[in-house]
Amino acid sequence: MKSPTLVVVVLATILISVMAGCGPSSVQATETPEEVARRELPIWLQGIHTSYGIQSDQEVATATLGTPFEVRTLLPGAITSYRPGQALKNTFQQDTYLEFPIVVNGEGRGLLTVAQRGGRWEVVGLGKQALARDLVEFQKQKGNTNEPFQLVRVDSMFGNFVLEGDQGKEVLIPMTRVRGLDEAPELYLRKPQPARDLIPKLAKALAGLEN
């Protein structure tokens, strides 16, 4: 016959195992980025929503998420070594995060950043109100789609570009001002440009920033 102490230890071990399997870490490990974003959105908006032009708790309750943007980073070395016609997908830094536009009354109010950490998805940031507004307007023009959009970042130049087009014939759409670019912003903002034309301009601007 087992001693009472041994029985208690066994039961406690089973209970801990069950609780561990039902905890937040286990739930997040199986959740998709979309599920994590939907669950965490109200929590992130509470207490700071007025900073994003959201006027009331009712608007917080009605906030929704737009189609996410898969983020790709274009590093300075990839810009300077780029050759026209080269497939951009081979030049990106491999990122594992998405930006979800926060939409209230049809307007973009911010971006909820969901990243993969330790094998699971989690929300790591909220911000970029101006960029969110432009990205939501872009999505409206494109119509309904369930496929994620591609967002290319050039952090050293504060550039954000929507990526479209087939491999080797990509088009970049600047959504923010690009640091160092000689052209006036109104000449390039939200205007599709072939990557083979735009990236050499970025390389020239980057060289000017480094000198």
Side-chain angles (χ1 to χ4, degrees), residues 21 35 38 46 49-51 53 71 73 82 100 103 129-130 135 140 150 154 157 160 169-170 174 194 196 199:
E35 290 170 337
R38 285 196 299 268
Q46 289 297 332
H49 56 262
T50 54
S51 301
V71 180
T73 300
Y82 172 82
F100 287 82
V103 183
Q129 184 178 1
L135 291 179
K140 286 181 181 178
Q150 305 288 322
V154 182
M157 305 176 75
N160 292 274
K169 299 179 181 179
E170 296 92 344
R196 65 176 180 272
I199 295 183

Side-chain angles (χ1 to χ4, degrees), residues 138 141 160-162 164 171-176 181 183-195 198 201:
F138 172 81
Q141 294 172 9
N160 292 274
F161 309 83
V162 173
E164 294 187 310
V171 172
L172 291 169
I173 306 172
M175 304 302 292
T176 54
L181 205 59
E183 297 179 35
E186 60 270 18
L187 296 179
Y188 64 80
L189 277 178
R190 291 174 289 283
K191 291 181 171 57
Q193 300 188 45
L198 180 59
K201 293 179 183 178

Side-chain angles (χ1 to χ4, degrees), residues 91-162:
T91 68
F92 295 136
Q93 174 179 299
Q94 198 65 27
D95 295 306
T96 51
Y97 71 98
L98 300 95
E99 298 281 21
F100 287 82
I102 300 169
V103 183
V104 177
N105 296 328
E107 298 179 350
R109 303 293 179 89
L111 296 176
L112 194 69
T113 306
V114 179
Q116 195 171 47
R117 300 283 177 83
R120 68 188 186 195
W121 293 97
E122 59 185 62
V123 177
V124 297
L126 170 66
K128 307 177 184 70
Q129 184 178 1
L131 178 59
R133 182 175 59 248
D134 292 337
L135 291 179
V136 168
E137 288 303 312
F138 172 81
Q139 289 182 331
K140 286 181 181 178
Q141 294 172 9
K142 289 295 178 180
N144 294 330
T145 176
N146 293 323
E147 294 298 322
F149 293 92
Q150 305 288 322
L151 185 67
V152 176
R153 288 235 164 96
V154 182
D155 293 331
S156 57
M157 305 176 75
F158 308 118
N160 292 274
F161 309 83
V162 173

Side-chain angles (χ1 to χ4, degrees), residues 5 52 126:
T5 302
Y52 293 89
L126 170 66

Side-chain angles (χ1 to χ4, degrees), residues 1-2 8 10 22 32 49 53 57 64 66-67 74 77 90 100 114-115 158 162-164 168 171 175 182 191-192 211:
M1 180 176 179
K2 296 180 180 178
V8 171
V10 171
C22 296
T32 66
H49 56 262
D57 289 338
T64 59
T67 303
L74 196 56
N90 298 326
F100 287 82
V114 179
F158 308 118
V162 173
L163 174 65
E164 294 187 310
V171 172
M175 304 302 292
D182 290 336
K191 291 181 171 57
N211 292 334

